[in-house]
Amino acid sequence: MTAIASRVRAAPVLVGAARIVLGLLWLNEGITKYRAGFGSADIALVAESAASNSRVPAFFQRFAESVLGGFPCFFGVVVPFLEVGLGVALVVGVLTLPAALGGVGTLVMYWLSDQLIAQYPIMTALAGVLLVWPLEARRYGLATLLVHHVPLNTSAARVLRGRLSRWT
């Protein structure tokens, strides 16, 4: 086996590992928030802090004040749910590309609000790997296994495969 062939075979494994690690990091973020009782008070604190922070861009200060500050109960529930959802999707290997994009968007929102955590640059780099190599990232995911490797011969299975193939 040539060096190039071994790299081609290793790429999906390495990118898949990056997907799973990123998913575990997102799960950790969301589960930590659930365990800590994250909610509307936390969102209100972030909104208030961002609205008065000189390091936060003016457009995001207005967003934090009007949107986050206006609906803290909603975002108090949605944020941990989103993080856990991103983690599950990435670990399982379903909706990998949308999850990576959504994760980067979420991290950008955190940075804009001056919520800087040490693992966020690592999470962004891992998401970048998935965005650059999306086919390799989802090669060993659940959706790909269902579409390509599970012998389902009913008409319902063919419909399911058709729908899942768009996301694998």
Side-chain angles (χ1 to χ4, degrees):
M1 180 179 342
T2 68
I4 293 173
S6 64
R7 285 186 194 139
V8 169
R9 289 187 180 160
V13 172
L14 294 174
V15 177
R19 185 195 79 223
I20 291 169
V21 168
L22 179 58
L24 292 173
L25 288 169
W26 275 117
L27 280 170
N28 182 58
E29 287 290 312
I31 290 169
T32 299
K33 283 181 177 67
Y34 278 126
R35 285 185 178 163
F38 186 90
S40 62
D42 299 286
I43 293 294
L45 182 63
V46 169
E48 183 181 314
S49 172
S52 62
N53 187 336
S54 63
R55 292 187 304 250
V56 174
F59 76 91
F60 196 82
Q61 287 178 338
R62 288 187 297 275
F63 172 81
E65 196 169 28
S66 62
V67 177
L68 292 177
F71 304 96
C73 291
F74 173 76
F75 287 104
V77 172
V78 167
V79 169
F81 182 78
L82 170 69
E83 292 176 347
V84 169
L86 290 171
V88 169
L90 290 165
V91 168
V92 173
V94 177
L95 302 172
T96 301
L97 189 57
L101 285 169
V104 169
T106 302
L107 291 169
V108 167
M109 296 285 281
Y110 293 170
W111 279 323
L112 286 172
S113 65
D114 201 31
Q115 303 296 309
L116 306 173
I117 307 294
Q119 66 263 23
Y120 290 171
I122 295 166
M123 293 168 76
T124 304
L126 290 170
V129 168
L130 305 184
L131 295 173
V132 171
W133 293 289
L135 296 176
E136 289 82 359
R138 60 189 183 215
R139 185 165 186 187
Y140 295 113
L142 180 64
T144 303
L145 291 173
L146 287 174
V147 169
H148 299 292
H149 301 291
V150 175
L152 302 172
N153 295 321
T154 66
S155 61
R158 285 190 290 279
V159 170
L160 177 64
R161 278 201 172 117
R163 290 185 180 162
L164 282 175
S165 66
R166 294 180 215 155
W167 304 104
T168 61

